Amino acid sequence: MDSTPLRKVLELERQKEFTDTAVFGGLDKFLSRWAAKTEATINKPSVLKKFRQLQLDKSSYSHLEKEQRRAKIEEILAFVSEIEAPPVKKPLKAVKPSAEPIAKPKRKSTPKTTQGTDIDAPITIIKGVSTAVAAKFNKLGAATIRDLLYYFPHRHLDYSRRKTISQLGEGVEETIIANVWQVREVRLGNRRSTEAIVGDETGNVRVVWFNNPYIAKQLSANQQIVLSGRLSIFKDQPVFESPEWEILEDKELVHTGRLVPLYPLTKGLYPRAVRKMMKGVIDRWSPEIAEFLPQQLRTRCKLLDLPQAIAQAHFPDSIDLKDMARVRLAFDELFLLQLGVLKRKRYWQVSQPANPFKIDIALLDGWMKTLPFEFTDAQKRVTSEILEDLKKPEPMSRLLQGEVGSGKTVVAMAALIAAVDNDFQGAFMAPTEILAEQHFTSICNLLAMAGQPLSQEDYLHTYSGLLKKPVTVALLIGDIKGKKKQELQKAIALGNVDIIIGTHALIQKDVEFKTLGLVIVDEQHRFGVAQRSTLRQKGFSPHMLVMTATPIPRTLALTLYGDLDLSVIDRLPPGRQTIKTKWLTPQQREKAYDFIRKQVAEGRQAFIICPLIEESEAVQARAAIGEYEYLSAEIFPSLKLGLLHGRMSSADKDDVMSRFRRGELDILVSTPVVEVGVDIPNATVMLIESADRFGLSQLHQFRGRVGRGKEQSYCMLLAENPSEIARNRLEIIEGVQDGFLLAEEDLKLRGPGEFFGTRQSGIPDLRMARISDTALLEMARREATVLFEKDPVLESAEHKLLLNEISRVWIKKDIGEQS
């Protein structure tokens, strides 16, 4: 029987103070449905009897007074608690209470298996963990004992400092130790409950557990118990209402009287049972985890030892130790990440020497003079950084950041000209066929400005006038089939093509290069590390330039791409327009539609972005398919609309985008697949539905789809009922146009995991580290750099365990373990 949904709803109803607003349609309807579905799954007669006594299928909660509702909720929760975790029954000797923090008994090992069990053993070796329970933990990423040690709580409840009864205050989470003077089963609101009178040297207080008569059988007079919860005033008398409780024994407290961990759960796992199991795991196995950081480093950085940090992260003895544990574990993540990227960079640069290019400055200056614009200072700076790299015998590994319209493509073109001038081929890889075609068109235009076209076949253009020899450019994408594809591949393999532009098709096995000297990857986060490595290995050891229009805060870029040197085009060319941005309420929707009609009437085009492509009750976002049909029939019946979503084939996507680019469509309704790079100069309006569901950086990327032409452009953000955080985001993007500033704000609001998918970049998951913690990140980078300079292959004896840990947390192929 899965009681998780029921518990969540009941706890929410309690938080809402029994107003019958926890679920849509009321609690009676929910309880009736849940009871009908659940009764057939209950096998134990005793449980089934109690279940039927609750009469959930005939619930009349909506007709009850507030106190009766409270009693009903507590009765059901008591039943749920009883089936979730077995009670503790052994009373032991009393401990005299005091007003100081509760003393922590010495941690004891509680071995449940053979001593010396490997911490990489499966969790089924733990007593009480069946294969079925293990499967539930596997869903949470915990398959081994080691995984459980790193299965950290998402937060802690602070029950650590206790009060005497006379010191208790109303409505505050507090803990007392008291003697049980009297305990009995009572009826409260016509429901069976437990009532106790407990006391210490300063006074007595009444305790009630609504709808939970079972506790009366588990407690007895003269026992000492620990209670953690909130005090209420009922009829002018103080009362503890349904507190957490434990019998005070000569062992460490788990559920009360301390910082109590709350773990991530999944269907079939329950808080008290998981907490109790984790306490045993931490006590038994945390002392056995190997310390891999050198002693001098730990001392210099004032870090806890690893076993202590693990234990304190789960069951901390104080707030300070909890914070110290997080710092140690976060440092580990960032330190190992930095060592990993440094190792990868060394493998790419030291173990694979590159061909240094001779840079003809006069040639490049002459080419730049053919352009109808001047390079900005930022473009000149990053071009210089790239050309300096190309002169070296180590292969360039550089990340070029620049917003849409900042001029990255023309900078990349300078590098391609240098490669071709040195008789090397250049490969330019984009994430989609649409973007590959745009780059092909842009590069051909740049070459045409500097010379004359000699031939312009499908997918293959040749230009003269720039270099001493003609420059041939090819487009290689998945849509090219049969004989034409074979001809292009043969020309590339023979060295008859200088610049090859394409998608992932460039890394297919049947595509070979003759002299690949430079690889440019656009919007790199769309590619994993493995794809980049595969493309790199097509040549001897080509220089690599990675480009992205996604503004990434410098701190995050240095962390995710520590193996790449960083260049940033931080200034847009002069004359770049400001896109007027406005957050609209649902009542202003019609005004937004009228504005789109007006723009289309003036010959412009518009985007409408929706977050999902199929209806979902769970996420109240307008689906692109349904929205397209509604807009076409009801709102813009006289206009031509197109639809773009992620489940369409590449050919269909390209067809829609081509029609939109040619002006055959007035409005493009799209899911976020339009986020990156699409260039439609005539589009002046961007309307984003459910804008509160996107982060700042993504909203900024959508906004960048308009404003490519000379006409004033606009971005309208519609949000039905945004949360406080979403309101903050929408207010920020209304007034801020700088993508890098927005990225910094996004990182603060959402954290690195949501901001940027770390899995796709091939780095280990970050659980404890906050990328916004700049000081810790810089300390980890500094220590990693110093250690790597002293022992780049980690061959000294004191670094053996560290090397093992790097190998364990990093994917081998990503950091060149073969080196």
Side-chain angles (χ1 to χ4, degrees):
M1 181 179 72
D2 177 22
S3 59
T4 305
L6 178 63
R7 175 180 281 282
K8 287 182 178 178
V9 168
L10 296 180
E11 288 176 345
L12 180 60
E13 177 65 11
R14 185 160 61 184
Q15 290 173 19
K16 291 176 175 285
E17 299 190 351
F18 315 103
T19 53
D20 200 17
T21 55
V23 286
F24 183 75
L27 199 58
D28 288 330
K29 188 176 180 181
F30 173 82
L31 291 174
S32 178
R33 285 180 176 175
W34 186 84
K37 185 173 65 174
T38 303
E39 184 169 2
T41 67
I42 301 175
N43 299 319
K44 294 178 72 173
S46 59
V47 175
L48 185 59
K49 181 180 177 182
K50 293 173 184 175
F51 175 81
R52 286 173 174 166
Q53 287 173 348
L54 293 173
Q55 296 185 316
L56 300 182
D57 56 332
K58 302 173 184 176
S59 174
S60 58
Y61 182 82
S62 60
H63 300 296
L64 300 178
E65 297 296 326
K66 183 175 179 179
E67 282 306 312
Q68 293 175 316
R69 289 182 177 184
R70 181 198 300 272
K72 180 68 176 177
I73 295 293
E74 298 299 342
E75 180 185 26
I76 303 170
L77 281 171
F79 169 75
V80 170
S81 295
E82 184 190 16
I83 61 174
E84 285 180 351
V88 180
K89 291 186 177 178
K90 274 190 179 179
L92 293 178
K93 64 184 180 181
V95 178
K96 183 178 178 181
S98 75
E100 295 303 310
I102 296 174
K104 300 292 186 290
K106 189 175 181 180
R107 293 180 184 268
K108 298 178 181 179
S109 290
T110 52
K112 299 188 177 184
T113 62
T114 308
Q115 282 288 341
T117 302
D118 182 9
I119 65 169
D120 290 310
I123 64 175
T124 48
I125 68 168
I126 301 169
K127 185 178 179 181
V129 176
S130 64
T131 305
V133 171
K136 294 177 174 64
F137 277 102
N138 286 348
K139 288 181 182 177
L140 297 167
T144 67
I145 299 297
R146 185 192 299 272
D147 293 336
L148 285 180
L149 294 177
Y150 283 87
Y151 167 63
F152 297 119
H154 58 79
R155 66 187 181 100
H156 289 80
L157 294 175
D158 189 358
Y159 293 155
S160 60
R161 297 195 69 85
R162 82 170 183 89
K163 299 285 183 70
T164 60
I165 288 174
S166 65
Q167 294 172 325
L168 292 175
E170 182 182 0
V172 183
E173 295 278 8
E174 291 178 322
T175 295
I176 62 170
I177 293 179
N179 291 300
V180 178
W181 301 131
Q182 177 185 348
V183 60
R184 60 181 181 144
E185 181 181 327
V186 295
R187 297 193 78 82
L188 299 173
N190 206 30
R191 301 292 181 182
R192 295 171 64 208
S193 305
T194 295
E195 178 186 69
I197 304 298
V198 303
D200 62 14
E201 70 273 24
T202 69
N204 298 331
V205 69
R206 178 172 172 245
V207 187
V208 294
W209 287 273
F210 292 105
N211 304 324
N212 196 335
Y214 319 108
I215 295 177
K217 299 173 184 176
Q218 297 164 17
L219 296 177
S220 58
N222 297 319
Q223 281 181 321
Q224 277 207 317
I225 62 172
V226 184
L227 297 168
S228 291
R230 294 174 187 243
L231 191 78
S232 299
I233 303 299
F234 182 66
K235 294 184 178 179
D236 296 326
Q237 295 296 316
V239 58
F240 251 129
E241 292 187 355
S242 301
E244 288 280 0
W245 65 278
E246 284 183 90
I247 296 169
L248 189 62
E249 302 176 314
D250 63 350
K251 66 180 184 180
E252 198 171 359
L253 296 170
V254 176
H255 307 293
T256 60
R258 64 169 311 125
L259 287 163
V260 175
L262 296 179
Y263 288 96
L265 300 172
T266 189
K267 182 178 178 181
L269 295 179
Y270 305 103
R272 284 180 73 98
V274 169
R275 195 180 299 132
K276 182 179 178 182
M277 184 203 80
M278 286 301 300
K279 187 66 174 69
V281 169
I282 298 305
D283 287 351
R284 163 67 179 85
W285 275 287
S286 64
E288 294 192 16
I289 195 160
E291 175 58 79
F292 55 82
L293 289 184
Q295 177 63 56
Q296 286 186 341
L297 187 155
R298 299 200 307 276
T299 303
R300 186 166 57 246
C301 297
K302 299 178 182 178
L303 299 172
L304 293 182
D305 291 344
L306 184 56
Q308 183 187 13
I310 293 281
Q312 293 297 323
H314 288 271
F315 292 92
D317 293 333
S318 68
I319 293 285
D320 286 346
L321 279 168
K322 171 176 171 271
D323 291 341
M324 290 172 70
R326 190 199 76 80
V327 168
R328 163 64 207 258
L329 295 165
F331 177 88
D332 286 357
E333 291 176 348
L334 297 170
F335 182 68
L336 293 170
L337 195 159
Q338 293 302 307
L339 284 177
V341 294
L342 289 170
K343 198 169 191 295
R344 186 160 70 190
K345 186 172 184 178
R346 177 183 179 276
Y347 173 68
W348 279 0
Q349 292 194 332
V350 177
S351 66
Q352 299 184 60
N355 293 291
F357 292 177
K358 292 180 180 178
I359 306 301
D360 187 339
I361 298 297
L363 168 68
L364 290 171
D365 285 345
W367 165 69
M368 289 180 188
K369 288 175 182 175
T370 69
L371 302 175
F373 52 82
E374 282 193 30
F375 269 38
T376 64
D377 289 343
Q379 285 174 307
K380 290 175 183 176
R381 184 187 69 250
V382 299
T383 302
S384 176
E385 291 168 352
I386 291 167
L387 296 177
E388 284 300 314
D389 281 355
L390 294 176
K391 294 177 184 178
K392 298 175 183 176
E394 301 90 32
M396 173 174 69
S397 290
R398 185 167 289 275
L399 173 64
L400 174 59
Q401 281 186 262
E403 288 206 58
V404 170
S406 63
K408 294 185 303 300
T409 303
V410 75
V411 169
M413 188 66 201
L416 287 168
I417 291 171
V420 177
D421 186 47
N422 281 266
D423 296 322
F424 287 101
Q425 292 170 300
F428 196 131
M429 194 156 81
T432 66
E433 298 197 352
I434 294 170
L435 289 176
E437 288 181 37
Q438 282 185 191
H439 284 307
F440 179 70
T441 301
S442 297
I443 285 172
C444 286
N445 287 340
L446 290 170
L447 288 169
M449 292 175 192
Q452 303 82 34
L454 289 182
S455 66
Q456 292 182 314
E457 304 174 28
D458 287 343
Y459 312 114
L460 191 69
H461 293 192
T462 302
Y463 299 87
S464 65
L466 175 61
L467 303 178
K468 294 175 183 177
K469 62 172 186 176
V471 179
T472 301
V473 187
L475 175 66
L476 187 62
I477 54 179
D479 277 359
I480 303 173
K481 307 293 183 188
K483 186 179 179 182
K484 186 65 183 177
K485 181 179 180 181
Q486 291 176 355
E487 289 175 356
L488 284 174
Q489 289 172 347
K490 184 177 179 181
I492 293 167
L494 291 173
N496 296 331
V497 179
D498 302 298
I499 299 171
I500 304 94
I501 301 164
T503 60
H504 57 277
L506 288 187
I507 63 171
Q508 292 173 353
K509 290 181 180 178
D510 50 0
V511 180
E512 297 296 336
F513 298 87
K514 184 179 181 184
T515 54
L516 182 60
L518 174 66
V519 172
I520 298 172
V521 184
D522 190 27
E523 286 306 330
Q524 78 80 31
H525 63 280
R526 298 301 173 97
F527 293 97
V529 173
Q531 286 110 318
R532 282 190 274 148
S533 298
T534 301
L535 183 58
R536 187 176 189 126
Q537 288 159 13
K538 293 273 181 187
F540 171 62
S541 182
H543 298 282
M544 186 172 72
L545 178 65
V546 166
M547 302 199 308
T548 181
T550 305
I552 309 169
R554 183 176 180 82
T555 314
L556 187 55
L558 289 172
T559 302
L560 297 182
Y561 306 113
D563 54 324
L564 303 175
D565 297 309
L566 186 61
S567 288
V568 181
I569 302 178
D570 51 8
R571 292 287 182 273
L572 291 174
R576 173 73 171 171
Q577 66 167 275
T578 296
I579 299 165
K580 294 183 179 179
T581 306
K582 184 70 176 173
W583 165 27
L584 305 177
T585 64
Q587 292 74 29
Q588 296 171 294
R589 181 182 295 279
E590 285 304 321
K591 288 185 178 179
Y593 291 154
D594 286 342
F595 185 75
I596 289 175
R597 292 189 192 98
K598 181 182 175 185
Q599 287 285 301
V600 171
E602 293 176 5
R604 315 285 170 245
Q605 293 167 282
F607 289 98
I608 297 178
I609 305 293
C610 309
L612 298 174
I613 66 162
E614 57 189 22
E615 297 292 348
S616 168
E617 290 181 1
V619 184
Q620 295 176 354
R622 290 174 177 265
I625 296 171
E627 183 76 346
Y628 167 74
E629 293 170 350
Y630 168 72
L631 292 172
S632 299
E634 304 292 334
I635 305 299
F636 304 112
S638 62
L639 303 182
K640 298 183 289 293
L641 277 68
L643 173 63
L644 191 69
H645 63 72
R647 293 188 181 176
M648 295 167 64
S649 67
S650 294
D652 288 343
K653 286 181 193 173
D654 289 346
D655 179 60
V656 171
M657 284 308 305
S658 295
R659 290 171 59 206
F660 192 51
R661 189 183 289 118
R662 292 194 300 266
E664 295 173 14
L665 300 173
D666 301 310
I667 300 171
L668 183 64
V669 180
S670 173
T671 56
V673 294
V674 78
E675 176 187 347
V676 176
V678 179
D679 192 1
I680 312 290
N682 193 47
T684 57
V685 183
M686 170 64 69
L687 174 64
I688 304 174
E689 289 278 4
S690 301
D692 51 317
R693 294 200 37 79
F694 297 106
L696 282 171
S697 293
Q698 201 170 21
L699 289 171
H700 183 63
Q701 289 292 298
F702 293 146
R703 179 167 63 183
R705 296 313 102 222
V706 296
R708 301 294 191 95
K710 297 177 181 177
E711 302 298 329
Q712 176 63 53
S713 293
Y714 307 87
C715 179
M716 298 181 288
L717 310 166
L718 277 168
E720 296 288 337
N721 187 25
S723 66
E724 186 176 341
I725 291 176
R727 284 172 178 269
N728 193 359
R729 280 203 298 264
L730 295 170
E731 287 169 358
I732 289 171
I733 198 162
E734 268 192 314
V736 178
Q737 297 276 325
D738 185 327
F740 287 96
L741 181 57
L742 287 171
E744 293 285 357
E745 292 295 328
D746 212 8
L747 191 56
K748 293 175 189 173
L749 290 171
R750 295 199 295 160
E754 284 185 77
F755 175 84
F756 202 79
T758 54
R759 285 185 182 277
Q760 222 173 354
S761 61
I763 71 167
D765 287 336
L766 300 178
R767 300 180 187 184
M768 283 290 196
R770 303 175 194 140
I771 302 293
S772 53
D773 190 349
T774 308
L776 187 63
L777 175 60
E778 288 178 351
M779 182 169 74
R781 282 178 56 77
R782 182 177 66 248
E783 292 294 338
T785 303
V786 168
L787 185 144
F788 200 76
E789 286 174 353
K790 289 181 180 177
D791 186 10
V793 293
L794 301 179
E795 59 187 355
S796 71
E798 68 170 335
H799 296 152
K800 182 179 179 183
L801 291 175
L802 180 57
L803 179 61
N804 291 342
E805 189 68 9
I806 294 174
S807 301
R808 192 182 64 76
V809 301
W810 275 84
I811 303 167
K812 266 194 172 187
K813 64 183 177 183
D814 283 352
I815 54 173
E817 280 297 309
Q818 60 268 42
S819 66

